[in-house]
Amino acid sequence: MRKSLLAMLIAIVMVLSACAEQPAKKEENPAASPETSEATAAVSDGVDDARVQEILAQFPESISERVATTSVPVAEMLHLLGITPVGVPTSTNPIPAAFDQVERIGSPMQPDLEVVTALKSDLLIGAESLRSTLEKTLEGIELQTSYLPTDSFADLKLSFKVLGTYFNKQEEMNTKLQSITDKEVELQKLTEGKELPSVMLVIGTAESFMVMSEKSYLGSLVGKLGADNIATSALKVTDTYSPINMENIVAADPDIILVLASGDHGATADKFNKEIEKNEVWTKLSAYQNKKIHMLDYSTFGVTSIINVEKALTDISQFFIDK
């Protein structure tokens, strides 16, 4: 009888011990899982890896050895990755000096087909926003093409990761993406807990001035820092660029107005000042009365640039921190 009781006691102890060990085993699995570690690393730069794979699907299976591009932002990315293309666009926007001797293939929208053909490129990379125009221009030419989004801050990081992954340049890619991410975190900490101002973004052409939404490059920088762009919150515009409606702007009364000034695009600072003189309604705005209308350099804030993006973020943040 005693032996039976002893055997039952031992069996119960063994069962309880097995149950106690089971939860501890489960807790170790997530931390030890290689898949979990990879997933954490993949999202640390804020880039959607599903989108990366989606865009990569349009690239050739083998790595291109003679790549050309019709996009200035893409030319910058290739430069940072240590890749020299056989052709770059002809543009008033600066191309990396390292590519001074690289063949110019014409405008981003209408490249010179004779030059493109002569280069014997095995891949032409263009801007997604110009895809339809480029495809019409290249109709009839047997050439592998891929397109990358380049309009916003998020687009820059996404497309850079696509190129870095495709060309197997992970070290260069990760170094730059980490630098950008570090800058984001640094600036977001500076504005953390602060009441950020409302902002209106203005760009001018030879004909008129327009309001910019968060879809614009400058708008995406402002949005990344957490400031309120009245184009979206108050004016409810849906297009990247919309006509100015002074009645609605007065009602929204932005704290700060940022104006992209560019002589090349017919919108100098002097022209904007004349616009204010013509319409005294501008003088009713808090931004005007508090001297919070700032002119921005188009080359830094009007053109998406992986090289200048950290400077652009830093410069924009100063308007919010020092408000």
Side-chain angles (χ1 to χ4, degrees):
M1 183 71 174
R2 288 180 180 176
K3 287 183 179 181
S4 299
L5 288 172
L6 183 60
M8 288 177 61
L9 183 60
I10 291 172
I12 292 170
V13 169
M14 289 178 67
V15 170
L16 290 174
S17 297
C19 293
E21 288 174 3
Q22 198 67 21
K25 199 170 184 180
K26 286 182 179 178
E27 288 175 5
E28 290 173 3
N29 284 341
S33 169
E35 292 181 3
T36 303
S37 299
E38 288 175 12
T40 302
V43 298
S44 63
D45 52 28
V47 178
D48 183 347
D49 283 327
R51 282 284 290 137
V52 170
Q53 294 305 316
E54 181 184 327
I55 296 171
L56 275 173
Q58 63 179 309
F59 280 72
E61 288 187 13
S62 57
I63 296 177
S64 170
E65 295 181 357
R66 294 184 62 79
V67 62
T69 182
T70 59
S71 164
V72 173
V74 171
E76 286 189 348
M77 294 178 197
L78 293 173
H79 171 59
L80 289 181
L81 293 171
I83 297 164
T84 301
V86 296
V88 293
T90 307
S91 176
T92 55
N93 296 321
I95 303 289
F99 296 163
D100 282 350
Q101 303 307 312
V102 174
E103 188 77 36
R104 263 47 178 177
I105 63 175
S107 79
M109 288 185 287
Q110 291 187 309
D112 188 318
L113 300 186
E114 189 175 330
V115 174
V116 171
T117 303
L119 288 175
K120 297 181 179 178
S121 171
D122 53 11
L123 175 63
L124 180 68
I125 303 175
E128 179 62 49
S129 59
L130 299 177
R131 179 195 284 260
S132 60
T133 303
L134 272 173
E135 286 182 343
K136 287 179 183 176
T137 301
L138 298 171
E139 195 171 346
I141 294 180
E142 192 172 330
L143 176 63
Q144 174 74 48
T145 55
S146 297
Y147 298 91
L148 294 174
T150 59
D151 291 336
S152 69
F153 173 76
D155 288 345
L156 283 180
K157 294 204 300 180
L158 171 63
S159 294
F160 189 65
K161 190 161 189 176
V162 168
L163 289 176
T165 303
Y166 172 68
F167 285 105
N168 198 26
K169 294 282 187 175
Q170 276 81 7
E171 184 177 348
E172 295 87 344
M173 174 188 80
N174 288 331
T175 297
K176 184 59 179 177
L177 287 176
Q178 188 62 58
S179 179
I180 294 173
T181 302
D182 288 346
K183 179 58 67 175
E184 289 180 65
V185 173
E186 173 195 332
L187 296 176
Q188 285 168 351
K189 283 182 179 178
L190 288 176
T191 57
E192 192 174 340
K194 293 190 175 184
E195 184 181 346
L196 297 182
S198 58
V199 185
M200 182 170 79
L201 310 177
V202 177
I203 187 171
T205 65
E207 291 78 33
S208 63
F209 287 91
M210 306 186 85
V211 175
M212 289 183 286
S213 73
E214 77 281 355
K215 294 179 183 178
S216 66
Y217 177 51
L218 179 57
S220 70
L221 295 175
V222 167
K224 175 53 64 176
L225 295 169
D228 170 29
N229 182 349
I230 68 160
T232 302
S233 62
L235 306 183
K236 308 298 182 184
V237 302
T238 55
D239 295 330
T240 305
Y241 307 104
S242 300
I244 285 178
N245 181 314
M246 287 307 299
E247 183 179 347
N248 291 341
I249 290 170
V250 168
D253 196 21
D255 299 314
I256 295 175
I257 298 175
L258 303 178
V259 184
L260 272 180
S262 170
D264 291 339
H265 295 77
T268 61
D270 183 58
K271 183 177 179 181
F272 184 73
N273 289 330
K274 288 179 179 177
E275 175 73 15
I276 293 176
E277 290 175 9
K278 277 194 311 181
N279 189 348
E280 66 175 13
V281 177
W282 285 97
T283 64
K284 297 179 180 179
L285 299 176
S286 297
Y288 178 87
Q289 294 171 3
N290 297 326
K291 297 182 179 179
K292 294 293 184 179
I293 299 180
H294 304 284
M295 301 295 165
L296 302 182
D297 178 25
Y298 189 89
S299 64
T300 300
F301 301 101
V303 183
T304 49
S305 168
I306 193 77
I307 292 174
N308 293 330
V309 68
E310 291 165 70
K311 179 183 185 304
L313 274 173
T314 302
D315 289 354
I316 285 293
S317 70
Q318 297 308 307
F319 296 121
F320 308 150
I321 295 168
D322 301 335
K323 81 180 184 76

